[in-house]
Amino acid sequence: MDTNEHELPADAKALPPLTAGTLYLVATPIGNLEDITLRALRTLRECDAIAAEDTRHTGVLLKHYGIRKPMLSYHAFNEARRSEEILARLQRGEKVALVSDAGSPGISDPGERVVRAARAAGLRVESVPGPCALVAALTASGLPTEEFHFIGFLPHKSGQRRNQLEALKSFSGTLVLYESPYRIEKLLGELGEVFPDRVVVLARELTKRFEEFLRGKPVELAAATKGRSLKGEFVVLIAPAA
Ligand code: SAM
């Protein structure tokens, strides 16, 4: 009988086990609990420990999928200390999964530090790819995807924000940034000054019930959203100059 090499094995036990001493970067849903890969679930089930940005938050996901696993917290404020602990576990041969609250660890989320340390120590790091708000927003925005620049979060201070936006004017592709709902109005004002003629897309609540894409020049978006308390999470995309 011909076998199709792309077909998933019917028996998951036929899949190779996780590799000892490996750090697995596991992407988790950005809103919709169904957005998790089979491999992510198996990695979470079969690892020795899960390092999570917020153990309570990840606990909800694990409970949903009936996974029970020792967890340790790994967040912005204990990254240095916890990185050492994670490295020690990997050196003992443990398989450690790293997850953030949502999406891909290391993208505007803790992860980079422990990955760098693990690589420097000659340890294995594997990516278990999946949801990422940046990719979800960019690919569905209708803006050019061939060349883009991801900024992450802008600094909080007005002067620094302004300088960074000014410096991005010469970039020829799509600009993508993350923003908190509390600063969206302020950001639209700033974009109105720095990029008055560019099309901006607000990708809101991706993968969730109230997902929407709002599109227009910064001043039009500011008018359209005025008086409407914009809640939820946002990816902001700025089209290249016409
Ligand atoms: N690691 C995540 C990823 O892979 O996208 C990003 C984490 S960062 C702390 C959180 C920011 O990502 C939010 O403030 C928002 O800008 C964006 N984001 C996350 N989930 C989102 C969603 N469902 N819809 C729109 N933006 C989202």
Side-chain angles (χ1 to χ4, degrees):
M1 192 179 78
D2 279 343
T3 53
N4 178 350
E5 62 175 11
H6 298 298
E7 230 169 61
L8 279 176
D11 179 359
K13 287 197 182 107
L15 293 166
L18 300 188
T19 309
T22 302
L23 175 66
Y24 290 89
L25 293 182
V26 181
T28 56
I30 58 168
N32 186 325
L33 281 180
E34 285 186 291
D35 290 335
I36 186 151
T37 69
L38 297 175
R39 184 164 166 241
L41 289 174
R42 188 163 74 86
T43 305
L44 295 174
R45 258 189 211 110
E46 294 181 11
C47 66
D48 296 298
I50 299 173
E53 190 181 2
D54 178 340
T55 52
R56 272 188 309 180
H57 186 97
T58 298
V60 175
L61 178 75
L62 297 185
K63 190 164 180 229
H64 183 82
Y65 286 103
I67 299 170
R68 290 175 67 133
K69 200 55 66 173
M71 278 199 273
L72 55 134
S73 74
Y74 175 84
H75 50 67
F77 306 106
N78 69 5
E79 262 190 294
R81 190 160 41 88
R82 284 294 201 219
S83 288
E84 282 177 25
E85 187 185 331
I86 293 171
L87 253 57
R89 283 174 177 264
L90 296 171
Q91 273 150 350
R92 289 201 295 269
E94 286 191 23
K95 297 149 276 181
V96 180
L98 177 72
V99 300
S100 64
D101 283 355
S104 301
I107 299 296
S108 296
D109 263 345
E112 190 183 315
R113 186 172 193 140
V114 68
V115 170
R116 205 178 321 122
R119 291 248 175 238
L123 294 160
R124 269 179 71 85
V125 180
E126 268 188 43
S127 178
V128 184
C132 179
L134 143 71
V135 176
L138 178 65
T139 50
S141 67
L143 299 182
T145 58
E146 192 174 271
E147 193 190 1
F148 65 91
H149 183 83
F150 175 59
I151 296 125
F153 289 100
L154 287 171
H156 287 186
K157 291 201 175 133
S158 298
Q160 292 174 0
R161 289 166 72 86
R162 179 72 188 228
N163 289 344
Q164 193 165 346
L165 288 173
E166 289 284 353
L168 292 163
K169 265 163 114 171
S170 56
F171 179 71
S172 56
T174 299
L175 297 169
V176 190
L177 49 102
Y178 286 167
E179 190 53 286
S180 128
Y182 309 108
R183 276 184 290 276
I184 278 292
E185 208 180 314
K186 172 178 168 142
L187 179 65
L188 287 175
E190 293 161 332
L191 295 182
E193 288 171 20
V194 182
F195 299 101
D197 298 320
R198 302 270 191 107
V199 170
V200 169
V201 174
L202 300 181
R204 177 176 167 264
E205 292 287 81
L206 293 163
T207 76
K208 303 186 202 175
R209 187 160 166 217
F210 297 109
E211 169 172 318
E212 63 178 340
F213 286 80
L214 301 164
R215 172 186 308 265
K217 301 236 171 98
V219 66
E220 293 165 350
L221 284 176
T225 56
K226 205 172 166 57
R228 192 185 145 191
S229 74
L230 282 178
K231 295 205 184 87
E233 301 195 275
F234 288 87
V235 181
V236 181
L237 305 104
I238 304 161

